[in-house]
Amino acid sequence: MKADMGRWPQGKTWAGMISVNLDGEFFSRIYYPEIDVDSVPEFALMGGHGIKNGLPRMLDLLEAHKLRATFFIPGQIAVRYPQVVREIASRGHEIGCHGNWHENLGTFFFCREVIPLMKAQRSGKIISMSSGGGVIGMEHLCHYATAKAALFGFIKSIARELGPYNVHANCIAVPTTVTPGSSDYDYDDDAEAEIPEIPLGRLAYPPDIANMTLYLSSSASDYVTGQVLAPNGGKR
């Protein structure tokens, strides 16, 4: 599925993406809490080697070819390896927050690391991914909707603080989205049931979210900050 990326600088018409998990023990910490990951050589090697050796090599390679990249960093990784966030930012790359085990602290820790750098350079764009559940509410999931709505207040607050430094902060309220992994779960029927409530008559697809992210990260949104944008096809 090809998204309409618009007109790119210098006539460029395509972009490549390489996905690398620099912290291999991350999911082991989530799914196997009974395991002392740091004491198991196999797990420790996957994570430690990537952070200590893989990342510097990757940054050097990008610099050698004069390339800039976007790194999506889970909040837990920012807490565990704060020097990684600082090094990536100091090399001139963008950083996106990936959440923190579905806890809002991830956004807080991420912002704590990057805001001083953005203030110093007097520019920056913070884009937080939340959920449409925080906008419309969710029956039987009030704890989830409350946590997602909390991000709205956080982003609006730091946007007011960071405006004088030309640092923007916005939030995307992601709706139910069809992805290649959707069929692995049992919510297909529930998702389809949402369609009659959506004026545009369909669920969201990844390019719908990606294009909104592209807009907020581009100069087209230079007068947009402290906003919660919901690419949800008109659902309220």
Side-chain angles (χ1 to χ4, degrees), residues 115-136:
I115 283 176
L117 299 168
M118 291 179 171
K119 289 172 68 175
Q121 68 185 16
R122 300 194 68 82
S123 67
K125 297 210 171 188
I126 296 171
I127 306 171
S128 176
M129 294 292 179
S130 187
S131 168
V135 177
I136 63 175

Side-chain angles (χ1 to χ4, degrees), residues 63-170:
E63 188 169 326
H65 292 277
K66 296 181 172 58
L67 297 173
R68 291 294 175 262
T70 300
F71 290 77
F72 287 90
I73 304 176
Q76 282 288 342
I77 304 308
V79 174
R80 188 170 173 79
Y81 306 107
Q83 75 279 7
V84 167
V85 181
R86 298 189 186 101
E87 177 66 13
I88 291 172
S90 70
R91 297 282 194 109
H93 300 292
E94 294 180 326
I95 299 177
C97 181
H98 190 276
N100 186 74
W101 296 3
H102 277 174
E103 297 171 1
N104 288 340
L105 285 176
T107 303
F108 171 80
F109 287 126
F110 160 77
C111 290
R112 185 183 67 179
E113 297 299 327
V114 301
I115 283 176
L117 299 168
M118 291 179 171
K119 289 172 68 175
Q121 68 185 16
R122 300 194 68 82
S123 67
K125 297 210 171 188
I126 296 171
I127 306 171
S128 176
M129 294 292 179
S130 187
S131 168
V135 177
I136 63 175
M138 300 179 70
E139 60 271 20
H140 311 303
L141 288 171
C142 63
H143 57 294
Y144 178 87
T146 300
K148 298 308 177 182
L151 280 176
F152 304 158
F154 177 79
I155 289 297
K156 288 175 178 288
S157 297
I158 64 171
R160 296 180 65 87
E161 296 178 19
L162 299 176
Y165 298 93
N166 193 37
V167 175
H168 304 69
N170 293 288

